[in-house]
């Protein structure tokens, strides 16, 4: 289909023109003009409160953004996602991660086969495995109960479960720690195994393709470690399980059939936490809490599908992101969870947003002439305040921020929590309103340092608040960003569910390996690579 280039659409052009006038309006003035702004530009749904009032926007901005969403057929594209159409066109696949948390009981045929019973069956096997591990009834080859889980995977087969295990660590079973190994650097595996015993360790090998270099190398390291200790291949049957969409490869690797947990090619890696990729999480927090998380996902799925645009959380986040990236000139986007449990959430979102929407060609094969996904980054508050917030407040670029916080803490030291909330709200307020030279002079700041003490303000932020960090809330938050990413893909007219940009480097690494090992000459490489290889060989 030949869709109109986004930047030529009248709705896009109208936003461009409107942005020119909005850039001149300070958030201080927008708030002064409307005492109800903080309530008017806020939305509460599915237990999440979104305050987007501290973005430079007006009713007109929202009207134009919703018009853009309509003109991009977002509603119809959303129907296509949830009907199982093959919208991952460049890989010829439907996009069905939402089915993993669909408890409606409706069948979902993929190529003539209802996949819902398959999803349920794998989940029941996961729950049985989790039960065995949690109760101490998973007995290793040496007769001892397995008490450590080492999850080996990378990208989507690592970031989701790693982030969720950290986010829900409050609910974890304390005598069943989960460790994550992803990096090809041997230090990652070695440093993890240093404190473990093969007698009590279960490995989960998670790889959709079961061919990824890092995961296969770490899996081989784990196998050697086990075999060196047990001197018996049968040990693998008790100490290694696989999570994969390529079960044949897992079987060929030596994993017992009953230890292979399948997921499917219609689950994108970065969307795979609710699949068997979530096994270490289920083992850590238990099947019930895992199911609570899935219910949270499902609640947000249903909200995204059915809420009207003005009340639709993912759509609003998507439109605000497009507003900043394409019309207000923001090149990056910061996600700042005021929760130590969510410290890995920005890293998880980096893959979700940048691998999905870091594309430069539209769905009609044309190079785009507008910005797509901004660079996403972030750290938890309050640590970041003492590191990079300086740039957020006084640097030369405005960075839109998502602050994420919780009304209640799960932990004791409640007084800390109130201080934490005070800091969160303070940062957003300081970004929005800044501090003028007049105010500072009035407060007695000497004239010669006034320029350095001034805060320009009008720096945009969203604040997302929820009651407390439960498994259900985590599911909602993840699904919120997943659907934001989907909506932005439609608004930018790009394919969000492939990731061809990761392939070239992988191919070149394969070609360079024998040259680094000295098995092949490096003469045909460029002069920089050749010199680097020579340097390493000399060492
Ligand atoms: O290299 C990128 C990527 O393909 C991701 O999209 C994926 O999540 C990751 O590698 C891991 O792939 P696999 O699960 O097949 O090992």
């Amino acid at each position: 289909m030949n869709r109109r280039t986004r930047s030529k659409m009248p709705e896009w052009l109208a936003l461009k023109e409107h942005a020119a006038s909005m850039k001149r309006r300070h958030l201080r003035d927008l708030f002064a003009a409307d005492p109800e702004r903080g309530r008017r530009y806020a939305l509460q749904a599915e237990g999440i409160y979104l305050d987007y009032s501290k973005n430079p926007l007006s009713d007109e901005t929202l009207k134009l953004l919703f018009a853009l969403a309509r003109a991009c057929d977002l509603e119809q594209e959303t129907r296509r996602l949830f009907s199982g159409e093959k919208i991952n066109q460049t890989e010829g696949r439907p996009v069905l991660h939402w089915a993993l948390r669909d408890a409606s009981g409706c069948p979902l045929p993929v190529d003539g086969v209802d996949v819902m019973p398959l999803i349920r069956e794998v989940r029941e096997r996961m729950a049985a495995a989790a039960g065995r591990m949690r109760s101490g009834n998973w007995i290793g080859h040496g007769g001892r109960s397995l008490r450590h889980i080492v999850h080996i995977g990378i990208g989507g087969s690592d970031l989701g479960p790693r982030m969720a295990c950290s986010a829900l660590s409050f609910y974890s079973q304390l005598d069943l720690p989960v460790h994550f190994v992803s990096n090809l650097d041997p230090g990652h595996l070695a440093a993890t195994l240093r404190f473990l015993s093969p007698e009590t360790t279960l490995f989960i090998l998670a790889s959709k393709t079961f061919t990824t270099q890092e995961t296969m190398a770490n899996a081989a390291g784990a196998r050697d470690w086990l075999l060196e200790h047990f001197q018996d291949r049968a040990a693998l049957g008790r100490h290694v399980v696989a999570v994969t969409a390529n079960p044949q490869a897992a079987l060929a690797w030596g994993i017992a059939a009953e230890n292979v947990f399948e997921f499917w090619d219609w689950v994108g890696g970065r969307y795979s936490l609710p699949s068997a990729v979530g096994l270490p999480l289920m083992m850590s927090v238990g099947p019930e809490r895992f199911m609570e998380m899935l219910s949270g996902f499902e609640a947000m799925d249903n909200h995204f599908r059915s809420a009207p645009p003005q009340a639709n959380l993912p759509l609003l986040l998507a439109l605000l992101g497009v507003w900043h990236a394409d019309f207000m000139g923001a090149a990056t986007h910061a996600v700042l969870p005021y929760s130590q449990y969510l410290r890995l959430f920005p890293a998880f979102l980096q893959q979700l947003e940048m691998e999905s929407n870091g594309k430069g060609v539209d769905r009609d094969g044309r190079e785009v002439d507008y910005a797509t996904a901004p660079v996403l980054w972030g750290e938890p508050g309050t640590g970041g305040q003492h590191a990079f917030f300086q740039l957020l407040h006084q640097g030369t670029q405005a960075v839109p921020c998502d602050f994420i916080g919780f009304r209640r803490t799960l932990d004791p030291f409640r007084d800390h929590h109130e201080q934490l909330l005070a800091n969160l709200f303070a940062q957003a307020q300081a970004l929005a309103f800044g501090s003028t030279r007049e105010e500072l002079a009035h407060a007695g700041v000497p004239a010669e340092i006034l320029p350095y003490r001034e805060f320009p303000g009008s720096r945009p932020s969203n604040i997302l608040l929820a009651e407390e960090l439960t498994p259900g809330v985590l599911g909602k938050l993840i699904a919120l960003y997943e659907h934001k990413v989907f909506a932005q893909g439609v608004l930018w007219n790009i394919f969000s569910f492939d990731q061809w940009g990761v392939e070239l480097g992988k191919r070149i690494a394969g070609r360079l390996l024998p040259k680094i090992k000295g098995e092949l000459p490096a003469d045909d490489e460029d002069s920089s690579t050749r010199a680097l290889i020579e340097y390493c060989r000399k060492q």
Side-chain angles (χ1 to χ4, degrees):
M1 195 205 293
N2 215 324
R3 286 158 280 240
R4 198 126 47 106
T5 302
R6 291 299 190 239
S7 57
K8 307 280 181 297
M9 290 168 69
E11 294 78 4
W12 190 280
L13 296 170
L15 275 159
K16 268 236 128 81
E17 199 182 319
H18 172 66
S21 70
M22 283 311 289
K23 277 179 191 158
R24 291 192 293 273
R25 302 188 67 182
H26 198 286
L27 274 172
R28 228 179 281 136
D29 303 328
L30 292 172
F31 269 84
D34 175 5
E36 282 306 303
R37 184 179 174 90
R39 285 190 196 285
R40 281 206 316 117
Y41 297 134
L43 175 58
Q44 202 167 346
E46 302 304 329
I48 292 182
Y49 180 88
L50 167 66
D51 171 3
Y52 59 100
S53 62
K54 296 192 190 76
N55 289 287
L57 53 79
S58 63
D59 287 353
E60 178 67 7
T61 320
L62 291 174
K63 198 178 100 198
L64 294 173
L65 286 168
F66 289 125
L68 178 68
R70 264 194 314 278
C72 294
D73 292 327
L74 188 62
E75 244 177 68
Q76 195 195 323
E77 293 296 326
T78 306
R79 270 198 299 277
R80 291 179 69 214
L81 165 72
F82 286 103
S83 70
E85 257 187 66
K86 294 195 174 170
I87 61 167
N88 178 357
Q89 209 172 296
T90 64
E91 296 181 326
R93 295 170 185 165
V95 174
L96 302 178
H97 50 270
W98 53 269
L100 298 164
R101 54 261 191 158
D102 174 7
S104 71
C106 299
L108 177 63
V110 174
D111 297 329
V113 179
D114 179 11
V115 296
M116 295 311 290
L118 305 179
I119 293 173
R120 284 192 289 269
E121 189 209 306
V122 172
R123 207 155 45 221
E124 277 159 25
R125 291 182 51 233
M126 286 167 65
R132 270 174 75 204
M133 280 301 285
R134 289 168 65 79
S135 62
N137 285 329
W138 193 312
I139 306 299
H141 196 60
R144 291 177 60 189
S145 164
L146 301 191
R147 292 332 285 145
H148 284 271
I149 298 162
V150 177
H151 180 96
I152 293 178
I154 197 161
S157 296
D158 166 68
L159 288 163
R162 183 200 293 263
M163 178 277 291
C165 280
S166 158
L168 300 181
S169 56
F170 177 82
Y171 306 92
S172 64
Q173 184 165 317
L174 294 180
D175 67 347
L176 194 58
V178 187
H179 315 263
F180 288 87
V181 175
S182 56
N183 201 328
L184 199 44
D185 179 344
H188 202 177
L189 182 64
T192 306
L193 298 186
R194 195 168 295 148
F195 303 100
L196 303 180
S197 158
E199 292 280 335
T200 53
T201 302
L202 175 78
F203 288 96
I204 300 177
L205 311 184
S207 174
K208 182 172 170 182
T209 54
F210 223 75
T211 58
T212 303
Q213 185 184 28
E214 293 90 336
T215 304
M216 292 298 102
N218 284 321
R223 178 167 53 190
D224 293 348
W225 187 71
L226 289 171
L227 293 182
E228 196 183 312
H229 177 81
F230 288 115
Q231 299 291 321
D232 182 359
R233 282 189 74 80
L236 300 181
R238 286 174 179 261
H239 289 263
V240 190
V241 308
V243 171
T244 184
N246 184 2
Q248 292 314 320
L251 295 174
W253 192 92
I255 292 167
E258 67 271 22
N259 288 341
V260 177
F261 297 86
E262 200 177 349
F263 65 113
W264 303 274
D265 69 358
W266 36 261
V267 181
R270 50 195 176 272
Y271 299 85
S272 64
L273 172 65
S275 76
V277 171
L279 182 60
L281 176 68
M282 196 194 259
M283 287 181 167
S284 179
V285 303
E288 253 178 54
R289 294 226 156 88
F290 189 84
M291 293 308 290
E292 277 174 37
M293 180 185 74
L294 293 194
S295 302
F297 270 101
E298 190 193 23
M300 189 55 70
D301 294 341
N302 291 336
H303 166 80
F304 177 58
R305 291 170 80 159
S306 58
Q310 292 77 358
N312 195 308
L313 287 168
L315 176 58
L316 260 176
L317 283 192
L319 290 170
L320 291 168
V322 168
W323 171 240
H324 290 303
D326 293 285
F327 302 102
M328 302 300 272
T332 84
H333 177 71
V335 176
L336 309 164
Y338 272 58
S339 157
Q340 191 60 17
Y341 291 115
L342 286 183
R343 66 185 176 279
L344 300 178
F345 199 53
F348 168 78
L349 291 183
Q350 280 183 329
Q351 188 196 17
L352 183 65
E353 297 218 356
M354 295 202 276
E355 201 173 68
S356 297
N357 285 340
K359 313 277 167 70
V361 171
D362 74 11
R363 289 185 290 175
D364 298 294
R366 295 171 299 224
E367 211 175 300
V368 301
D369 58 359
Y370 46 88
T372 59
V375 174
L376 188 147
W377 57 286
E379 281 288 319
T382 57
Q385 290 176 201
H386 301 271
F388 55 80
F389 271 53
Q390 163 65 41
L391 180 148
L392 298 183
H393 288 291
Q394 290 186 318
T396 52
Q397 38 184 314
V399 180
C401 301
D402 286 357
F403 289 94
I404 302 175
F406 298 95
R407 217 162 69 86
R408 276 203 310 267
T409 174
L410 298 165
D411 295 296
F413 317 118
R414 271 154 220 255
D415 179 48
H416 288 205
H417 190 68
E418 283 157 6
Q419 294 182 50
L420 183 71
L421 283 177
N423 271 278
L424 188 167
F425 299 161
Q427 292 300 326
Q429 195 182 82
L431 286 168
F433 305 115
S435 176
T436 62
R437 289 189 194 194
E438 293 71 41
E439 286 162 358
L440 290 162
H442 190 68
V445 174
E448 63 277 17
I449 60 164
L450 274 180
Y452 309 103
R453 297 283 303 266
E454 186 184 8
F455 287 72
S458 221
R459 307 222 153 177
S461 68
N462 293 315
I463 297 183
L464 290 148
L465 290 178
E467 200 62 23
E468 65 184 8
L469 184 49
T470 60
V473 165
L474 179 68
K476 287 176 189 175
L477 276 176
I478 300 172
L480 168 59
Y481 279 91
E482 284 180 352
H483 295 310
K484 169 200 166 186
V485 165
F486 167 77
Q488 289 189 328
V490 173
L491 295 166
W492 286 322
N493 189 25
I494 53 179
F495 289 123
S496 298
F497 297 101
D498 58 20
Q499 55 285 317
W500 298 108
V502 302
E503 293 304 325
L504 179 60
K506 289 186 196 174
R507 253 200 339 267
I508 298 177
R511 192 185 73 218
L512 295 184
L513 182 60
K515 300 177 181 178
I516 289 174
K517 284 183 168 177
E519 296 165 358
L520 284 179
D523 309 348
D524 54 346
E525 298 298 338
D526 66 85
S527 60
S528 157
T529 310
R530 215 166 50 227
L532 292 166
I533 291 176
E534 276 162 20
Y535 174 82
C536 289
R537 279 212 214 142
K538 257 192 240 145
Q539 302 299 308

